[in-house]
């Protein structure tokens, strides 16, 4: 009954399944940013003028969760609950072709650490994984880097 | 006897009716000439003066033609855009908003940039209250966008239809121009000093009236073409800042500016 060939085959299948089912988070960080922390589920990067970029993935622990639900939840929490001021809202996507994933982009303002902070957040959802990309900075560094951050988000994979 | 009486009464009625009709016809013609339409524009004595000088139906017609030509030129100088177009409503839009924003300076700057990008301009700024004039075609867009700057505390939008008022001013202007032109013709033919003085005084009054009406038309045109948007920006005070509640979804609590700044 036992066959070495079938054993190898089974091991290979397990390996492939593990690799495909647990893709590490990836994003090409923009020029001028230094990656200070990187793991399978997050990437932290900062610019020399203290603009902060943080991409993360979270497991969706709930049955039936989807992009629409999580976006509404996040939107309501940031704007209605925390009082962030919405500047702009639009659709977003990362990847390309058949692998493109649709998401949302919010541009917000709030006050923290005694100063106005501009805040760009992306939300994507794919196969039970929530992915966020946050970009925070005071007005000047934020405006300086925001276009390159938007460009970098297109390279996101999770 | 009885029959003669009835005939006499019928004849009397016919004559009376003819007299009334004659008066009515004269009124209609005068109205067509533009005289009866401006009872307050020309002093009553001038009608008598005109009767002394102008004689004959043909001369009336020639004068009316001249007047119309002159009036058309003068009205035309106001531009086609100022003329009320049939079926088109003339509406003045105003918006008065109070918006609570996270950052006053940023909100004011963005509001001005928004207005200027739309072809508008700053009319007044007092502290954190800005009044801009923007093209009426962009009014809805500007109001909708500025409301997204923050939380709207007060919103008051008015739309005033001035179509009838505008048409009335146009008619009054047209009549005043015609009356003044007619007086100019009479002035050439007057031979008494008293008549000359009376005509000149009336022409001066009409000229002032024409300038005033033209000014009103220009004002209305500007008010219709450009809407007024006044926004009072308020900074959030400690008393109105929302009290943050933790989300029931833990990943949401790990999102946000405070979290990013604290965990870097």
């Amino acid at each position: 009954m036992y066959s070495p060939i079938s054993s190898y085959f089974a091991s290979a299948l397990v390996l492939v399944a593990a690799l495909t089912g647990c893709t590490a988070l990836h994003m090409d960080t923009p020029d001028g940013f230094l990656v200070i922390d990187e793991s399978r589920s997050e990437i932290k990067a900062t610019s020399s003028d203290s603009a902060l970029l943080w991409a993360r993935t979270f497991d969706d622990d709930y049955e039936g969760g989807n992009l629409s639900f999580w976006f509404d939840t996040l939107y309501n929490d940031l704007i209605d609950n925390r009082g962030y001021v919405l500047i702009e809202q639009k659709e977003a996507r990362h990847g390309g072709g058949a692998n493109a994933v649709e998401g949302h982009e919010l541009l917000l303002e709030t006050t923290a650490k005694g100063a106005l902070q501009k805040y760009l957040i992306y939300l994507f959802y794919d196969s039970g994984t929530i992915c966020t990309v946050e970009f925070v900075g005071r007005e000047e560094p934020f405006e300086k880097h925001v276009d390159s951050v938007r460009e970098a988000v297109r390279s996101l994979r999770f | 006897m009885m029959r003669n009486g009835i005939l006499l009464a019928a004849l009397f009625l016919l004559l009376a009716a003819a007299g009334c009709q004659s008066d009515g016809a004269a009124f209609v013609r005068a109205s067509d000439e533009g005289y009866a339409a401006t009872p307050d524009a020309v002093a009553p004595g001038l009608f008598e003066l005109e009767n002394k000088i102008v004689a004959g139906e043909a001369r009336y017609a020639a004068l009316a033609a001249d007047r119309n030509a002159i009036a058309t030129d003068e009205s035309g100088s106001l531009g086609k855009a100022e003329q009320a177009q049939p079926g088109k409503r003339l509406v003045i839009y105003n918006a008065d908003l109070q918006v609570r924003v996270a950052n006053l300076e940023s909100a004011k700057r963005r509001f001005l940039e928004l207005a200027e990008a739309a072809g508008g301009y700053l009319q007044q700024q007092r502290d954190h209250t800005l009044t801009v004039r923007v093209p009426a075609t962009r009014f809805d867009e500007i109001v909708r966008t500025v409301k997204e700057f923050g939380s709207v505390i007060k919103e008051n939008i008015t739309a005033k239809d001035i179509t009838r008022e505008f048409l009335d001013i146009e008619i009054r202007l047209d009549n005043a121009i015609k009356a003044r032109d007619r007086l100019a013709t009479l002035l050439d033919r007057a031979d008494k000093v008293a008549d000359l003085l009376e005509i000149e005084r009336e022409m001066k009054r009409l000229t002032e009236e024409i300038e005033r009406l033209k000014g009103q038309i220009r004002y209305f045109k500007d008010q219709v073409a450009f809407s007024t948007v006044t926004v009072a920006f308020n900074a959030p005070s400690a008393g109105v800042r929302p009290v943050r509640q933790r989300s029931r979804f833990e990943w949401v609590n790990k999102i946000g500016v405070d979290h990013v700044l604290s965990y870097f």
Side-chain angles (χ1 to χ4, degrees), chain A residues 44-45 52-53 56 58 62 70 73 81-82 84-87 109 112-113 116 119 121 130 132 134 139, chain B residues 102-103 106 109-110 148-149 242-245 247 249 251-252 254-261 263-264:
Chain A
K44 275 183 183 173
L52 307 174
L53 181 62
R56 282 180 283 175
F58 303 92
Y62 297 87
W70 290 123
T73 301
N81 186 24
R82 304 191 208 184
Y84 285 20
V85 175
L86 178 66
I87 307 300
E109 278 183 3
K113 306 272 186 196
L116 171 76
Y119 180 50
I121 179 166
I130 299 161
T132 60
E134 296 169 274
E139 191 156 20
Chain B
N103 184 280
S106 169
R109 193 192 69 240
R110 284 195 292 126
E148 291 172 356
F149 281 14
V243 178
R244 183 184 170 187
Q245 306 285 328
S247 171
F249 305 111
W251 76 267
V252 174
K254 294 176 181 173
I255 294 294
V257 172
D258 287 331
H259 200 84
V260 173
L261 295 176
Y263 285 86
F264 254 74

Side-chain angles (χ1 to χ4, degrees), chain B:
Chain B
M1 187 69 180
M2 181 75 169
R3 188 171 181 170
N4 286 344
I6 292 170
L7 278 172
L8 275 171
L11 188 61
F12 177 77
L13 278 172
L14 274 172
L15 285 170
C20 287
Q21 195 175 10
S22 173
D23 286 351
F27 175 81
V28 168
R29 186 185 63 204
S31 180
D32 289 343
E33 300 286 323
Y35 306 154
T38 56
D40 58 343
V42 184
L46 292 174
F47 283 109
E48 295 171 16
L49 181 64
E50 181 190 30
N51 288 335
K52 290 178 192 173
I53 299 169
V54 181
E57 200 68 30
R59 190 175 287 267
Y60 266 111
L63 283 175
D66 290 347
R67 235 185 357 258
N68 286 337
I70 295 165
T72 302
D73 289 343
E74 194 150 358
S75 298
S77 68
L78 290 173
K80 293 285 183 193
E82 293 177 359
Q83 312 272 335
Q85 293 169 13
K88 184 182 176 186
R89 310 303 301 176
L90 299 173
V91 182
I92 298 173
Y93 292 99
N94 285 299
D96 189 6
L97 304 168
Q98 197 173 343
V99 182
R100 184 179 296 129
V101 295
N103 184 280
L104 289 172
E105 296 307 318
S106 169
K108 287 191 292 184
R109 193 192 69 240
R110 284 195 292 126
F111 179 49
L112 279 181
E113 287 172 356
L114 181 70
E116 286 169 3
Y121 59 90
L122 175 69
Q123 186 181 53
Q124 186 180 25
Q125 177 170 1
R126 187 172 297 162
D127 297 330
H128 303 307
T129 302
L130 281 72
T131 300
V132 299
R133 306 291 312 286
V134 294
T137 51
R138 307 288 296 274
F139 176 76
D140 288 342
E141 174 195 337
I142 301 285
V143 171
R144 192 173 58 247
T145 307
V146 80
K147 281 163 65 178
E148 291 172 356
F149 281 14
S151 309
V152 178
I153 301 167
K154 188 186 84 174
E155 179 179 0
N156 185 21
I157 294 175
T158 59
K160 185 182 177 189
D161 189 335
I162 56 145
T163 310
R164 178 175 286 198
E165 205 173 344
F166 189 88
L167 286 173
D168 181 53
I169 291 172
E170 278 196 326
I171 291 167
R172 284 162 58 197
L173 174 64
D174 187 53
N175 286 337
I177 290 169
K178 286 175 179 174
R180 189 185 62 179
D181 294 341
R182 185 162 54 82
L183 287 174
T185 308
L186 295 178
L187 189 65
D188 292 340
R189 293 168 184 161
D191 50 5
K192 291 181 184 172
V193 174
D195 292 341
L196 286 169
L197 290 174
E198 190 178 356
I199 292 170
E200 282 181 350
R201 189 171 61 248
E202 189 59 20
M203 284 183 70
K204 182 171 179 289
R205 188 186 71 77
L206 282 171
T207 301
E208 289 170 358
E209 176 74 358
I210 287 165
E211 291 309 312
R212 190 179 65 79
L213 292 170
K214 282 182 180 176
Q216 281 190 357
I217 285 177
R218 277 194 293 272
Y219 172 76
F220 276 143
K221 182 193 170 193
D222 175 70
Q223 291 293 304
V224 169
F226 278 77
S227 304
T228 305
V229 181
T230 300
V231 183
F233 291 107
N234 295 156
S237 62
V240 296
R241 184 184 285 275
V243 178
R244 183 184 170 187
Q245 306 285 328
R246 282 186 69 80
S247 171
R248 67 175 65 244
F249 305 111
E250 198 47 42
W251 76 267
V252 174
N253 294 320
K254 294 176 181 173
I255 294 294
V257 172
D258 287 331
H259 200 84
V260 173
L261 295 176
S262 299
Y263 285 86
F264 254 74

Side-chain angles (χ1 to χ4, degrees), chain A residues 23-115:
Chain A
T23 308
L25 178 68
H26 169 83
M27 186 173 74
D28 297 334
T29 46
D31 289 342
F33 278 76
L34 178 69
V35 175
I36 58 172
D37 197 359
E38 188 167 12
S39 70
R40 293 186 68 81
S41 62
E42 71 174 354
I43 299 168
K44 275 183 183 173
T46 181
S47 67
S48 59
D49 46 9
S50 300
L52 307 174
L53 181 62
W54 195 358
R56 282 180 283 175
T57 57
F58 303 92
D59 291 332
D60 181 2
D61 298 327
Y62 297 87
E63 283 283 329
N66 56 35
L67 178 65
S68 175
F69 177 84
W70 290 123
F71 176 69
D72 289 346
T73 301
L74 182 67
Y75 181 99
N76 291 332
D77 193 83
L78 292 175
I79 293 166
D80 297 337
N81 186 24
R82 304 191 208 184
Y84 285 20
V85 175
L86 178 66
I87 307 300
E88 193 178 14
Q89 173 185 346
K90 55 186 175 184
E91 304 303 307
R93 79 164 40 196
H94 72 82
N99 297 321
V101 174
E102 303 295 330
H104 295 279
E105 177 193 309
L106 292 174
L107 177 59
L108 304 140
E109 278 183 3
T110 189
T111 306
K113 306 272 186 196

